[in-house]
Amino acid sequence: AQKITQTQPGMFVQEKEAVTLDCTYDTSDPSYGLFWYKQPSSGEMIFLIYQGSYDQQNATEGRYSLNFQKARKSANLVISASQLGDSAMYFCAMREGPLAGNQFYFGTGTSLTVIP
Amino acid sequence: DAGVIQSPRHEVTEMGQEVTLRCKPISGHNSLFWYRQTMMRGLELLIYFNNNVPIDDSGMPEDRFSAKMPNASFSTLKIQPSEPRDSAVYFCASSLMAKNIQYFGAGTRLSVL
């Protein structure tokens, strides 16, 4: 089974609207971390947001929030008030804990296009 | 902080040549990762180090690839001999083990002709 699944190869959103990028994960380790990264066309990988498996609250960073549903093993990224500069590839990632060897996995990414 | 620094940013070489990619992690970080990104295979973890020691090199494609971390502030990824299928963007990332957030360098775009 895939460790990280991003089912949306491409998404479009109108400027100033909110958008949700889906991510599901698979692990049996109780301790893990979930991450989202942004990769604009310039190529760099930019860290956006982190959620620990034991965190009670959903993580938020400015316009980014992570909708963490532990029982469903989903960690969707919500971008509010989309901007043209949000157009990029978005990668969901997971770091398993020491019981699983601290392995790190990336999803295949979602390409987001913000329409003016 | 300057962030993770990779050099060169672009490398064009001929098949059979040796290629060395360099990485300087963020000061104070004790984990370092090398990734390869291609359209076909996405982002692949090649190897990672904790406290300068290689922990998992299962992602290294074959013996032509080797990585070293002689000290906490420098790592190299070497390909010898290079082949056209090695063409990709190679990223280095570093993290504080406790927090596990990886910060990436700008990448090296390698083209092997």
Side-chain angles (χ1 to χ4, degrees):
Chain A
Q2 291 287 332
K3 286 288 188 178
I4 294 288
T5 303
Q6 294 182 253
T7 57
Q8 306 155 314
M11 289 281 286
F12 292 87
V13 64
Q14 202 75 38
E15 192 178 7
K16 300 180 185 176
E17 297 292 313
V19 63
T20 297
L21 306 183
D22 294 342
C23 173
T24 57
Y25 59 92
D26 180 33
T27 182
S28 55
D29 195 320
S31 174
Y32 53 90
L34 298 159
F35 309 79
W36 278 92
Y37 287 85
K38 172 184 178 181
Q39 187 175 39
S41 57
S42 52
E44 69 268 36
M45 292 285 284
I46 303 166
F47 165 73
L48 294 179
I49 196 166
Y50 166 81
Q51 179 86 41
S53 60
Y54 295 119
D55 294 343
Q56 296 296 313
Q57 305 277 353
N58 284 346
T60 60
E61 290 285 349
R63 294 185 299 109
Y64 304 110
S65 61
L66 199 152
N67 184 0
F68 181 44
Q69 298 189 40
K70 197 169 184 177
R72 301 174 69 175
K73 294 189 174 179
S74 75
N76 298 340
L77 177 70
V78 181
I79 305 174
S80 62
S82 299
Q83 302 173 354
L84 296 178
D86 294 335
S87 294
M89 283 290 289
Y90 288 82
F91 292 93
C92 179
M94 174 179 67
R95 171 94 174 222
E96 290 183 311
L99 291 179
N102 291 313
Q103 292 296 313
F104 206 89
Y105 304 94
F106 275 85
T108 52
T110 295
S111 176
L112 176 67
T113 301
V114 180
I115 303 167
Chain B
D1 201 319
V4 177
I5 300 173
Q6 290 186 247
S7 63
R9 290 295 311 277
H10 303 275
E11 178 80 32
V12 181
T13 191
E14 291 187 347
M15 183 174 64
Q17 297 297 307
E18 176 181 303
V19 175
T20 299
L21 311 181
R22 297 173 176 79
C23 176
K24 176 179 168 55
I26 292 172
S27 177
H29 282 190
N30 56 5
S31 294
L32 184 139
F33 306 78
W34 282 101
Y35 290 88
R36 177 172 68 177
Q37 187 178 36
T38 61
M39 288 295 293
M40 290 296 295
R41 301 172 71 95
L43 201 60
E44 304 172 276
L45 177 64
L46 300 177
I47 185 171
Y48 79 93
F49 297 82
N50 279 348
N51 297 316
N52 312 339
V53 176
I55 301 301
D56 183 356
D57 65 354
S58 59
M60 296 286 261
E62 47 197 279
D63 292 346
R64 297 184 297 105
F65 285 70
S66 62
K68 293 182 179 179
M69 191 164 187
N71 57 62
S73 58
F74 184 65
S75 177
T76 59
L77 177 68
K78 185 178 292 186
I79 308 172
Q80 181 185 22
S82 58
E83 297 182 3
R85 60 192 167 121
D86 302 331
S87 297
V89 179
Y90 290 81
F91 286 102
C92 174
S94 72
S95 72
L96 271 174
M97 205 153 46
K99 291 201 80 174
N100 292 333
I101 297 170
Q102 295 185 21
Y103 295 92
F104 283 72
T108 295
R109 184 173 295 276
L110 173 65
S111 298
V112 183
L113 306 177

